[in-house]
């Protein structure tokens, strides 16, 4: 099994994204770097002044006035550093926030425009962990990591520079720790990248399994699958644990080595400095200043190295986030516009898995305004055909056209104004009722929204709501009854006004009274449109102009209800058994 079904961006793509971000925020970045440079420079004054004082005092030339001035300088530098640092931090955080905000917006736009079939295939865990924990990891890096890396990087460079200006010979000793830090970091960074990638992927799998367990809790209970599911969770946990232990192991080698790398320079400066003083090549002041610099470097270098590590988690997470944008669109060429209302499916073939065709050579050409009912046993391919007809998934063979245009080459927003899939899923989005309706027609005026509600018989209860159209619904707001939610969904359809509706009519979960009311609403929506209904209740089929019977991915019978009953084939048998059933249990 591959680690993930969704792509992960490569290094080159990540660098491209980073470069684009730098370009977009060039001004702010320059300001932040300049401020940090000033803060770092102010921080260098202290040790330098102390070094000078030691030299002045030891040579005995210093008057009290000089010492006073030096103290003032020292105090001034500390105050200045504090002030500049404050602004530098403030601006870096602002920069981090605006970079992150843009990233998040881009990501959301990408996720919401992913082809539905890709989302279904990838499973929720991967996408969920990318939208939650990965976005968090990137946020941490961008908000705090990037600013701190700028600060510490700047401090390290300027401190080293200052040390070399004061006394290049003594300053050489500061570099004594470099080989240790460089070699151990190289060893670490080579292994940590893949390690962190594995860690995030195992987390995605864990989220997936847990999510699946929660969502499928009833099924798991019903089929007594709990032990199986527990085993799956245990396995995912074990994989996560192992991946975490690996990176922890790497860190437990790398951290002590780098810490040692910080201590070495201070000792080296003192020993080497003492030797140089003996040779008359350095003063006590030089050695003091540079030793203080070496100590001052410990903090920033440690932080820098630490952030390099967390930067890896951040870039790995970024690669997963940016990778989502690499999902190939299922409509590479959306360049056709439908002319007319004729829907035609010819020679449709489809397989979810290579070699297993679930639709074989299906032709379906409804007349404009015709009502077609599709019946057949479960698994015969009815829902799959509905997906093809509505262009949710492209067929692997044959072609579906709407008004002469290939359904997969019509831009989605245009297609939905022609053909829409109606399921009994009726999601109420958090927002006002008007917001919920305008999802279908963003520019509709209140009057049009009310007309649509009137058409589905919902205007009365909407008007009775505390704020009418502006009532906030969904979680946290007014909770609509399932029937009301379904009516809102139907009103959306009226606003969208497609000429053809594909109806996936699941067995109604509503109570009979609500169902009757809804059927009237639905009838009004269907009026004057071409309707292809997947019928689970055969009275829908009886009322249709044409009935199509599917078995094993093929259309095996086609004709009016009466013709098919008279023919005495598969449909006639279905009809007889359904009638017998409904005699015992009258349909609602
Ligand atoms: P119906 O709607 O008539 O019950 P479907 O179109 O749902 O039939 O299914 C047709 C066949 O395709 C079935 O054998 C089903 O197992 C298979 N199938 C449906 N969805 C998927 C999927 N996402 N991946 C793989 N096979 C699928």
């Amino acid at each position: 099994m591959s680690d993930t079904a969704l792509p992960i961006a490569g290094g080159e793509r990540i660098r491209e994204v980073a470069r684009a971000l730098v370009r977009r925020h060039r001004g702010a970045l320059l300001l932040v770097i300049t401020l940090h440079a000033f803060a770092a420079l102010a921080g260098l004054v202290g040790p330098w002044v102390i070094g000078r004082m030691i030299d002045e005092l030891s040579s005995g030339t210093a008057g009290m006035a000089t010492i006073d001035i030096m103290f003032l300088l020292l105090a001034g530098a500390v105050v200045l550093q504090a002030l500049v640092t404050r602004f530098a931090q403030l601006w870096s955080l602002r920069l981090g926030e605006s970079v992150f905000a843009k990233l998040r917006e881009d990501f959301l736009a990408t996720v919401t425009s992913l082809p539905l079939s890709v989302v279904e295939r990838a499973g929720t865990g991967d996408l969920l962990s990318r939208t939650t924990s990965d976005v968090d990891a990137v946020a941490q890096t961008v908000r705090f990591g990037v600013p701190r890396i700028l600060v510490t990087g700047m401090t390290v460079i300027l401190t080293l520079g200052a040390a070399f200006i004061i006394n290049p010979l003594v300053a050489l000793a500061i570099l004594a720790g470099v080989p240790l830090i460089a070699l151990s970091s190289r060893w670490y960074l080579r292994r940590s990248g893949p390690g962190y990638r594995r860690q995030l992927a195992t987390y995605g799998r864990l989220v997936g399994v847990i999510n699946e367990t929660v969502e499928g809790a009833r099924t798991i209970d019903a089929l007594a699958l709990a032990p199986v599911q527990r085993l799956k969770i245990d396995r995912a946990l074990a994989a996560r644990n192992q991946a975490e232990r690996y990176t922890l192991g790497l860190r437990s080698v790398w951290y002590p080595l780098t810490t040692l790398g910080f201590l070495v320079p201070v000792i080296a400066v003192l020993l080497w400095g003492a030797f140089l003083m003996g040779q008359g090549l350095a003063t006590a002041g030089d050695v003091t200043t540079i030793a203080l610099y070496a100590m001052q470097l410990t903090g920033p270098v440690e932080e820098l190295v630490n952030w390099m590590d967390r930067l890896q988690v951040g870039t790995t997470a970024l690669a997963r986030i940016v990778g989502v944008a690499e999902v190939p669109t299922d409509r590479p060429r959306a360049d056709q516009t439908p002319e007319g209302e004729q829907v035609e499916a010819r020679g449709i073939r489809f397989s979810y898995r290579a070699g297993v065709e679930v639709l074989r050579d299906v032709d379906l050409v409804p007349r404009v305004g015709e009502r077609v009912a599709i019946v057949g046993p479960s698994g015969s391919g009815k829902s799959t055909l509905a997906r093809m007809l509505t262009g949710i998934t492209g067929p692997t063979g044959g072609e579906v056209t709407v008004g002469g245009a290939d359904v997969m080459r019509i831009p989605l927003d245009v297609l939905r104004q022609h053909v829409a899939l109606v399921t009994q899923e009726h999601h109420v989005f958090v927002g006002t009722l008007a917001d919920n309706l305008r999802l279908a027609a963003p520019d509709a005026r209140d009057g049009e929204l009310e007309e649509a509600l009137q058409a589905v018989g919902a205007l009365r209860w909407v008007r009775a709501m505390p704020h009418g159209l502006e009532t906030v619904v969904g979680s946290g707001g007014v909770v609509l009854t399932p029937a009301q939610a379904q009516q809102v969904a139907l009103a959306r359809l009226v606003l969208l006004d497609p000429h053809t509706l594909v109806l996936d009519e699941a067995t109604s979960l509503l109570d009979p009274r609500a169902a009757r009311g809804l059927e009237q609403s639905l009838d009004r929506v269907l009026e004057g449109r071409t309707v292809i209904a997947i019928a689970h209740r055969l009275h829908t089929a009886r009322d249709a102009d044409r009935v199509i019977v599917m078995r094993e991915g093929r259309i095996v019978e086609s004709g009016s209800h009466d013709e098919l009953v008279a023919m005495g084939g598969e449909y006639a048998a279905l009809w007889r058994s359904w009638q017998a059933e409904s005699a015992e249990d009258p349909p609602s």
Side-chain angles (χ1 to χ4, degrees), residues 8-21:
I8 293 174
E12 186 44 45
R13 176 84 190 106
I14 291 294
R15 280 188 287 277
E16 220 172 83
V17 170
R19 273 197 297 270
L21 283 176

Side-chain angles (χ1 to χ4, degrees), residues 5 18 41 46 51 73 76 90 118 123 147 184 189 222 237 241-242 299 311 380 383 413 423 426 460 500 514 586 588:
L41 280 177
L73 201 61
L90 180 70
V118 172
S184 64
L189 292 175
L237 266 174
N241 188 330
Q242 204 187 2
L311 195 63
S380 57
S383 303
D413 49 338
T423 62
H426 37 254
R460 209 137 52 103
T500 301
S588 46

Side-chain angles (χ1 to χ4, degrees), residues 120 352-353 358-359 376-385 504 534 536 550:
E120 289 173 347
Y352 288 100
R353 279 182 303 262
V358 298
L359 290 179
S378 167
S380 57
K382 304 181 298 290
S383 303
T384 308
L385 181 59
D504 200 341
I534 298 179
H536 293 266
M550 290 193 69

Side-chain angles (χ1 to χ4, degrees), residues 272-487:
W272 174 238
F275 169 76
L276 288 175
M277 273 169 69
Q279 306 291 312
L281 292 172
T283 64
D286 291 348
V287 178
T288 311
T289 303
I290 294 175
L292 286 174
Y293 282 167
M295 283 172 68
Q296 263 188 8
L297 272 178
T298 311
V301 174
E302 193 166 12
E303 202 184 332
L304 195 63
V305 165
N306 206 335
W307 273 114
M308 293 299 247
D309 180 33
R310 288 165 72 177
L311 195 63
Q312 291 232 311
V313 184
T315 16
T316 309
L318 186 64
R320 288 163 56 83
I321 289 176
V322 173
V324 175
E326 289 177 9
V327 171
T329 163
D330 57 349
R331 301 170 188 276
R333 293 174 303 157
D335 55 357
Q336 297 189 353
T337 343
E339 307 277 344
E341 303 191 350
Q342 181 64 57
V343 176
E344 284 191 38
R346 294 212 184 265
I348 300 301
R349 296 179 170 279
F350 187 76
S351 31
Y352 288 100
R353 279 182 303 262
V356 189
E357 285 203 322
V358 298
L359 290 179
R360 308 161 200 213
D361 209 10
V362 172
D363 288 310
L364 179 56
V365 186
R367 274 180 286 107
V368 171
E370 190 181 26
R371 296 221 175 166
V372 180
I374 305 180
V375 299
S378 167
S380 57
K382 304 181 298 290
S383 303
T384 308
L385 181 59
R387 294 169 69 93
M388 309 283 116
L389 290 171
T390 47
I392 290 174
T393 316
T396 30
E399 194 183 38
V400 178
T401 59
V402 175
D406 179 347
V407 81
M408 295 311 286
R409 289 181 64 175
I410 305 172
L412 258 189
D413 49 338
V414 177
L415 178 61
R416 290 291 162 258
Q417 293 166 7
H418 292 262
V419 180
L421 179 70
V422 186
T423 62
Q424 292 219 336
E425 220 175 273
H426 37 254
H427 190 75
V428 178
F429 295 88
V430 176
T432 64
L433 272 169
D435 290 340
N436 265 280
L437 293 170
R438 285 208 176 92
L439 287 174
D443 303 324
R445 290 185 309 275
D446 281 1
E448 293 170 78
L449 301 187
E450 289 185 349
E451 270 172 41
L453 289 169
Q454 175 74 36
V456 298
L459 190 57
R460 209 137 52 103
W461 65 257
V462 170
R463 286 222 168 123
M465 288 264 168
H467 304 285
L469 274 174
E470 298 307 320
T471 307
V472 175
V473 293
S475 79
V478 174
V479 179
L480 299 184
T481 66
Q484 288 175 330
Q486 183 84 61
Q487 278 182 325

Side-chain angles (χ1 to χ4, degrees), residues 50 62 69 88 104 177 211 243 289 319 328 334 348 411 452 464 488 554 556 578:
I50 294 172
I69 291 174
R104 192 168 40 189
N211 201 43
T289 303
I348 300 301
V488 171
R554 285 180 208 281
V556 288
W578 189 73

